[in-house]
Amino acid sequence: METVEKLREQEVVRYMQPLREGGSLPALVEADDTYKYVLKFKGAGHGVKALIAELIGGKIAQALGLPIPELVFLDLDEAFGRTEADEEIQDLLRGSHGRNLGLHFLSQAMTFDPAVTEVDSLMASKIVWLDAFITNVDRTAKNTNMLMWKKELWLIDHGACLYFHHSFTNWEQAAITPFALIKDHVLLKQASKLDDINSFFREILTDDTIKNIVNLIPEEWLLWEDGDYSPEQLREIYFNFLSKRLSNSEIFLNEAKNAREKLI
């Protein structure tokens, strides 16, 4: 069975500052390994589902060789944040005790600007294919969710992908949707090698790789109050969704290619 690198587990020791971008209110924190991380809280916004999307989307990107900051499980002790003066932040911390998710902080990184930095067709095709596969709605010109760090492009923030899991009414149908929102992708115009990338990535993402990624989801993130599924059943649904979507990749591939033709 193919292996997927497991996440390190660290304890948060210092809340440094909120990063007031979007609705999830992530924060810059320091962990007990002395490194700084962008912490995504399970008590914020869409809760654990956003963390699951961040974890799966990020690990798939990593498996495909795309650059993302290291993902780390970050634990919050029950006593953490009691002295925080901001009530909103205190509530967020109180609702996030236990396991959360962090991304290694890329110090002095700059937000990717498509008007300043040109992305080659191969990299653009890889990123567009990834986002069409994981149904990532959040890589647009208004919000690229990419950084330039040490003259390299880095992908961040996959919490808005896999949006089918916010309803779970028909994951089978969701798995074969064309994903029309790919038309708004910031790199679509440059993505001229989608067919080549599709063949290449389908060889990399085996069932074993997908299953190993899904198995990284902590059980406490799968104990949903608004559903009747067990953690094992939820992992199976995530695996089946991704596996079925991959085996039908021509559906989202053709959608992306047709949307690109309208731009060029």
Side-chain angles (χ1 to χ4, degrees), residues 10-122:
Q10 303 295 153
E11 190 86 19
V12 177
V13 296
R14 183 162 65 108
Y15 183 100
M16 300 179 67
Q17 67 183 68
L19 302 173
R20 297 184 183 277
E21 301 172 1
S24 62
L25 203 67
L28 182 64
V29 302
E30 182 181 354
D32 55 0
D33 60 358
T34 74
Y35 288 110
K36 296 180 179 67
Y37 297 91
V38 175
L39 175 60
K40 303 294 184 76
F41 295 98
K42 67 179 182 180
H46 292 298
V48 292
K49 291 182 181 179
L51 300 192
I52 291 170
E54 188 82 61
L55 174 62
I56 292 178
K59 292 303 285 186
I60 288 175
Q62 188 179 65
L64 296 175
L66 292 166
I68 69 162
E70 182 189 8
L71 290 167
V72 178
F73 288 132
L74 293 178
D75 293 335
L76 277 182
D77 186 84
E78 289 187 5
F80 190 87
R82 287 178 180 171
T83 59
E84 173 58 48
D86 187 308
E87 290 188 8
E88 182 183 13
I89 294 174
Q90 191 176 96
D91 289 343
L92 182 61
L93 297 175
R94 191 181 298 115
S96 302
H97 294 152
R99 181 136 296 182
N100 297 271
L101 189 65
L103 291 86
H104 190 85
F105 178 60
L106 304 181
S107 179
Q108 298 183 325
M110 302 292 291
T111 299
F112 168 76
D113 185 346
V116 174
T117 303
E118 184 176 346
V119 178
D120 68 75
S121 59
L122 183 62

Side-chain angles (χ1 to χ4, degrees), residues 88-254:
E88 182 183 13
I89 294 174
Q90 191 176 96
D91 289 343
L92 182 61
L93 297 175
R94 191 181 298 115
S96 302
H97 294 152
R99 181 136 296 182
N100 297 271
L101 189 65
L103 291 86
H104 190 85
F105 178 60
L106 304 181
S107 179
Q108 298 183 325
M110 302 292 291
T111 299
F112 168 76
D113 185 346
V116 174
T117 303
E118 184 176 346
V119 178
D120 68 75
S121 59
L122 183 62
M123 177 61 79
S125 299
K126 289 179 177 181
I127 297 171
V128 168
W129 188 98
L130 166 72
D131 289 332
F133 173 51
I134 62 176
T135 62
N136 183 17
V137 302
D138 219 1
R139 192 103 64 200
T140 66
K142 292 182 179 180
N143 189 28
T144 64
N145 279 324
M146 293 185 285
L147 299 175
M148 293 302 299
W149 188 62
K150 297 185 176 180
K151 299 182 180 181
E152 291 183 340
L153 186 68
W154 292 74
L155 308 184
I156 60 168
D157 202 351
H158 297 94
C161 72
L162 303 178
Y163 57 83
F164 82 96
H165 65 179
H166 294 295
S167 63
F168 262 98
T169 53
N170 191 345
W171 68 262
E172 295 98 333
Q173 185 60 38
I176 54 174
T177 58
F179 190 55
L181 291 175
I182 200 67
K183 66 181 176 59
D184 299 321
H185 200 287
V186 66
L187 298 180
L188 182 59
K189 191 172 183 178
Q190 295 98 302
S192 61
K193 298 182 178 180
L194 288 170
D195 284 315
D196 294 338
I197 292 303
N198 184 56
S199 300
F200 179 51
F201 279 175
R202 285 188 59 158
E203 291 180 5
I204 295 175
L205 288 178
T206 64
D207 277 354
D208 282 347
T209 297
I210 295 173
K211 188 172 288 290
N212 282 329
I213 289 172
V214 168
N215 285 340
L216 293 173
I217 306 172
E219 183 161 332
E220 68 180 80
W221 293 1
L222 295 168
L223 300 173
W224 300 353
E225 296 178 358
D226 59 346
D228 300 322
Y229 298 102
S230 69
E232 293 75 20
Q233 289 173 319
L234 288 172
R235 284 197 181 94
E236 191 68 16
I237 290 173
Y238 279 111
F239 168 77
N240 287 333
F241 171 85
L242 291 166
S243 181
K244 184 171 185 176
R245 188 158 182 80
L246 183 65
S247 64
N248 290 278
S249 64
E250 70 279 356
I251 296 175
F252 66 78
L253 179 72
N254 289 334

